[in-house]
Amino acid sequence: MIIQNALADPLSDVLAGAGFNAACSVRLTAGGDWALRFRPIALKFNAVLHGGCWLTPEGEAAARLDAGDCFIVAGRPFVLSSAPGLPAVDAAEVFARSPFCATYGLGDDVALLGGSVAFAGADASHLLDLLPSSLVIRNEADGAAMMGWLLNQLDREWREDRPGAQAACDDLLRLMFIQALREHLSTADADALGWLAGLKDPPVAAALKAIHAEPTRAWRLPELAARAGLSRTAFADRFRARVGRPRVEYAATWRMRVAARRLREGRKPVSVVAHELGFLSDSAFGAAFRRVHGVSPGRYRVAARRAAPLASEETGPTSPRSGRPREGADRRP
């Protein structure tokens, strides 16, 4: 069987460079009058399985959540409750007996499945800087059917605990998070999306896909304008307006992000990486790399390798069914 290579996908490229990982964390059921305060150390992604509750991120207004709704909170305290304004109990106390599943209050008016989403890669800021501190994805969104199916499958894997459940839960949570990003991309104002806004504009998206498909190519303005189906002037103005920077700057920066990933993950000499990326000399590659990353390629590689073991121990998420959680890992929803 011959499988064609997938088309260039800028968002997938950025997720890969950001070290995107997800792990199904815990299940919470609650009833009666209740309020729990969470203090996450990572980006939290949660979905309401049934019933409803209120989400109150620190410093923000309360938002009602109903069955099928999902929410993302980017590493800041938040309260889940049966009604806004109730005194909140520290969630750590509720989950002290079992870090993976907890019941609070009277009955099961609401059930949530929670997850931790970690970005351990050096390119994490390329995406995280564009996400709001909290984000709610409603179940009536265009992708509600897909999100509902994923949530049902996640619940089934959680309850049945079949062989492979750990991997299945992690992958389902990844898919749910990507679906949430898609909904955010389709509904948010362009001003709030940064470079992601370019993916909503077909001509600019065509140029972005070309740049990501061939990062080693020195793209010229007429070539990208032709991909976009616009005149050179119209394309240049439109690209800068949508992405927030000129096409030359974006292409050069992405090229150096690809270079950084190859230096982090591979063992080829710096000179070989420079040649693969189309540079005629190591000095030219070094100068371009320093403009984006602030250090030479060699120093970057050494620093990345020294930091890698620490990052994997402290930021890598662990599934609830993998046994003993890593020290310091946040296991709450």
Side-chain angles (χ1 to χ4, degrees):
M1 177 183 296
I2 299 176
I3 302 177
Q4 294 181 339
N5 291 332
L7 297 175
D9 180 355
L11 182 56
S12 293
D13 289 343
V14 171
L15 286 171
F20 170 44
N21 292 292
C24 193
S25 180
V26 300
R27 182 186 183 114
L28 169 67
T29 58
D33 294 330
W34 62 277
L36 294 177
R37 181 178 301 279
F38 298 85
R39 304 179 188 278
I41 60 175
L43 188 150
K44 306 300 291 186
F45 176 71
N46 294 257
V48 181
L49 186 60
H50 69 74
C53 62
W54 289 82
L55 165 69
T56 308
E58 187 176 73
E60 299 182 20
R64 173 70 183 182
L65 301 173
D66 293 303
D69 289 346
C70 303
F71 69 91
I72 299 170
V73 178
R76 64 187 305 180
F78 64 92
V79 172
L80 291 176
S81 61
S82 58
L86 294 176
V89 173
D90 190 344
E93 299 177 10
V94 177
F95 285 91
R97 189 172 297 178
S98 171
F100 308 137
C101 185
T103 299
Y104 187 65
L106 302 174
D108 59 349
D109 297 339
V110 63
L112 300 97
L113 288 175
S116 296
V117 178
F119 293 89
D123 292 342
S125 62
H126 201 44
L127 179 63
L128 291 180
D129 289 348
L130 303 179
L131 291 178
S133 57
S134 65
L135 176 64
V136 176
I137 307 298
R138 298 297 179 185
N139 60 6
E140 65 267 19
D142 291 341
M146 173 63 75
M147 191 69 83
W149 183 86
L150 290 169
L151 180 56
N152 288 336
Q153 293 301 311
L154 181 61
D155 179 49
R156 180 181 177 185
E157 291 291 343
W158 178 269
R159 289 185 290 101
E160 296 183 0
D161 195 17
R162 295 179 294 174
Q166 171 183 326
C169 285
D170 290 355
D171 286 344
L172 285 167
L173 191 68
R174 281 172 55 90
L175 289 172
M176 291 180 69
F177 183 78
I178 292 172
Q179 187 66 23
L181 286 181
R182 287 174 172 172
E183 294 300 328
H184 177 53
L185 180 61
S186 66
T187 58
D189 293 335
D191 292 342
L193 290 173
W195 69 269
L196 284 173
L199 299 179
K200 299 178 65 173
D201 187 322
V204 176
L208 287 171
K209 290 178 181 179
I211 292 170
H212 280 250
E214 298 182 70
T216 64
R217 182 171 173 176
W219 285 98
R220 298 181 181 276
L221 177 58
E223 295 171 326
L224 289 176
R227 295 291 182 99
L230 300 171
S231 69
R232 287 178 290 181
T233 301
F235 167 73
D237 292 343
R238 190 162 177 165
F239 190 96
R240 184 164 191 162
R242 298 291 188 272
V243 180
R245 62 176 68 181
R247 49 92 194 175
V248 172
E249 182 182 341
Y250 183 89
T253 301
W254 179 248
R255 196 181 192 187
M256 289 303 99
R257 290 186 183 276
V258 172
R261 193 188 312 176
R262 293 185 183 184
L263 291 171
R264 291 194 309 270
E265 300 175 358
R267 295 188 176 277
K268 294 179 180 179
V270 172
S271 59
V272 174
V273 174
H275 177 73
E276 290 178 345
L277 289 171
F279 286 88
L280 299 180
S281 69
D282 292 355
S283 60
F285 174 59
F289 194 90
R290 280 192 294 271
R291 279 196 295 271
V292 174
H293 298 288
V295 295
S296 69
R299 287 182 178 273
Y300 179 89
R301 169 174 272 175
V302 170
R305 289 181 175 175
R306 286 176 177 172
L310 181 64
S312 64
E313 291 175 8
E314 295 187 353
T315 63
T318 303
S319 170
R321 307 186 190 282
S322 62
R324 182 179 178 182
R326 291 172 179 163
E327 183 178 355
D330 180 12
R331 311 310 311 151
R332 296 164 293 174

